[in-house]
């Protein structure tokens, strides 16, 4: 999501398919409603025009604001990301807050041949953010908010696998896919760590966060029997989308948060992370590889 606060521009990005969390469902949609109510110009980005426009109308109705727009964006296509950034820069004079919200848990390949979770959860966001950095700098003070997950604690970056398979891992079992998902969420935290270092002195700050386990449409790609079995349990522990969006809103709106740029947040509080999630060498290596893979260099 993109946002102008308030009267300025906020962007939320959305899922590639109905199988993952983005601006048209869950915390992304609730965040958009909250920001629109506060007077922000909100631009919702989503691959599916039908779902994106329907979500846009929902946000307008629930927020009482007409200053909400939709723009098509497919994070599984680097061409789509570039087209989106070009269109955004031509049409919008400001970008005060960029919220990289989309995330998926499923196997597959992107249009460019990357592992789907690496391509959508990390590489698409990486390219999008870099293509919009100049507009963010021109709108400073501005922010980048990357929605990660506590699952990053279980992740690792296999650079050999990235070079050989253009993916964070291989295999399609539940365990293997969960590992790849965790790896992609570690990418989000490392990306934020390195982005902060490169943005110092620009007036642009950045934050990564864990929204909490969300009772939303994220589970649409899970086995139906497993979902039905887990529902009575998760209802006690999972947050509603309204509760889950609070940390995103905190990183977006909280005043005097600049000294905590580059940090990881959970429950609206900056948290310490394991050494692997703040390793300078790994973050720099991931950045440089992502530059090459996305065609920035």
């Amino acid at each position: 999501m993109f946002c102008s606060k308030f009267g300025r521009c906020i962007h939320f990005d959305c899922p590639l398919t109905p199988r993952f969390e983005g601006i048209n469902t869950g915390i992304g949609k609730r965040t958009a409603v909250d920001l629109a109510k506060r007077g922000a110009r909100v631009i919702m980005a989503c691959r599916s025009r039908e779902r994106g426009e329907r979500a846009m109308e929902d946000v307008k109705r629930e927020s009482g604001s007409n200053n909400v727009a939709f723009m098509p964006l497919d994070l599984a296509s680097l061409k789509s990301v570039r087209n989106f950034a070009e269109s955004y820069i031509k049409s919008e004079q400001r970008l005060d807050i960029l919220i990289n919200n989309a995330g998926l848990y499923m196997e597959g390949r992107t249009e460019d041949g990357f592992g789907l979770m690496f391509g959508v959860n990390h590489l698409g966001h990486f390219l999008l953010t870099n293509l919009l950095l100049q507009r963010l700098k021109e709108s400073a003070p501005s922010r980048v908010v990357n929605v990660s997950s506590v699952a990053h604690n279980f992740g690792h970056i296999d650079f050999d696998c990235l070079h050989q398979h253009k993916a964070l891992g291989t295999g399609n079992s539940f365990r293997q896919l969960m590992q790849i998902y965790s790896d992609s969420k570690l990418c989000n935290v490392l990306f934020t760590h390195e982005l902060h270092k490169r943005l110092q002195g620009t007036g642009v700050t950045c934050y990564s966060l864990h929204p909490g386990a969300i009772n939303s449409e994220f589970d649409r790609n899970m086995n139906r029997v497993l979902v039905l079995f887990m529902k009575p349990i998760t209802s006690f522990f999972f947050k509603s989308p309204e509760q889950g969006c609070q940390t995103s809103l905190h990183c977006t709106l909280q005043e005097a948060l600049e000294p905590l740029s580059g940090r990881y947040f959970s429950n609206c509080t900056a948290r310490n992370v394991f050494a692997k999630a703040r390793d300078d060498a790994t973050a720099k290596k991931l950045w440089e590889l992502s530059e090459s893979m996305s065609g920035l260099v």
Side-chain angles (χ1 to χ4, degrees):
M1 175 176 78
F2 303 87
C3 167
S4 313
K5 51 168 202 196
F6 286 132
R8 304 184 308 194
C9 225
I10 293 177
H11 160 78
F12 278 95
D13 54 24
C14 287
L16 163 72
T17 74
R19 295 190 179 182
F20 57 102
E21 173 73 45
I23 189 59
N24 59 317
T25 61
I27 62 171
K29 188 174 179 180
R30 298 320 307 171
T31 306
V33 170
D34 187 284
L35 292 170
K37 283 182 177 179
R38 296 171 186 264
R41 170 164 171 75
V42 177
I43 298 179
M44 305 171 66
C46 183
R47 174 184 181 269
S48 168
R49 179 172 292 276
E50 178 184 357
R51 293 173 61 83
E53 291 181 345
R54 186 165 64 243
M56 176 188 68
E57 294 303 323
D58 288 345
V59 172
K60 285 182 177 181
R61 184 180 66 256
E62 294 179 40
S63 67
S65 171
N66 285 319
N67 203 9
V68 182
F70 162 78
M71 293 177 66
L73 169 64
D74 181 354
L75 286 167
S77 164
L78 297 180
K79 179 181 179 181
S80 176
V81 174
R82 291 181 180 279
N83 288 342
F84 174 90
E86 181 179 358
S87 297
Y88 184 92
I89 291 169
K90 287 180 178 178
S91 64
E92 301 292 332
Q93 296 302 308
R94 298 194 61 88
L95 176 53
D96 298 279
I97 304 163
L98 168 61
I99 303 179
N100 291 316
N101 178 78
L104 73 98
Y105 167 83
M106 61 185 295
E107 62 179 315
R109 289 278 168 176
T110 70
E111 177 181 286
D112 306 282
F114 297 102
L116 193 56
M117 284 189 273
F118 173 70
V120 172
N121 294 1
H122 168 67
L123 197 60
H125 289 145
F126 175 88
L127 178 60
L128 178 65
T129 303
N130 275 279
L131 292 176
L132 295 174
L133 271 185
Q134 185 58 40
R135 182 64 88 237
L136 284 160
K137 292 175 182 178
E138 293 167 354
S139 306
S142 54
R143 298 181 182 183
V144 178
V145 178
N146 295 318
V147 179
S148 180
S149 167
V150 70
H152 84 271
N153 287 320
F154 307 102
H156 70 277
I157 309 299
D158 186 340
F159 286 102
D160 290 337
C161 189
L162 278 173
H163 282 291
Q164 183 175 355
H165 299 288
K166 299 174 68 175
L168 290 163
T170 58
N172 57 11
S173 69
F174 174 82
R175 181 189 63 79
Q176 290 167 325
L177 291 176
M178 182 54 71
Q179 182 62 60
I180 296 169
Y181 175 77
S182 300
D183 299 344
S184 73
K185 296 291 99 181
L186 177 58
C187 287
N188 297 153
V189 180
L190 288 167
F191 169 43
T192 306
H193 178 80
E194 180 68 15
L195 181 62
H196 161 67
K197 294 170 62 178
R198 293 171 182 256
L199 288 176
Q200 292 186 43
T202 66
V204 185
T205 53
C206 56
Y207 313 89
S208 63
L209 65 94
H210 168 61
I214 307 299
N215 189 11
S216 72
E217 296 189 1
F218 184 87
D219 62 5
R220 277 181 293 181
N221 62 311
M222 292 184 181
N223 180 279
R224 295 293 91 191
V225 176
L226 178 60
V227 171
L228 290 173
F229 175 76
M230 293 295 292
K231 205 69 173 179
I233 302 171
T234 59
S235 62
F236 287 101
F237 298 104
F238 279 32
K239 295 179 180 180
S240 68
E242 290 79 5
Q243 295 168 326
C245 73
Q246 293 309 306
T247 303
S248 293
L249 290 170
H250 177 82
C251 291
T252 299
L253 302 170
Q254 182 63 38
E255 296 182 0
L257 206 63
E258 288 77 11
L260 296 176
S261 179
R263 297 286 301 275
Y264 168 82
F265 284 74
S266 179
N267 286 325
C268 301
T269 304
R271 306 286 183 175
N272 293 325
V273 295
F274 291 132
K276 65 181 178 180
R278 49 182 168 83
D279 183 82
D280 290 341
T282 303
K284 183 174 185 290
K285 187 175 182 178
L286 177 63
W287 182 286
E288 292 174 348
L289 180 61
S290 299
E291 280 185 322
S292 175
M293 287 182 159
S294 64
L296 282 174
V297 294

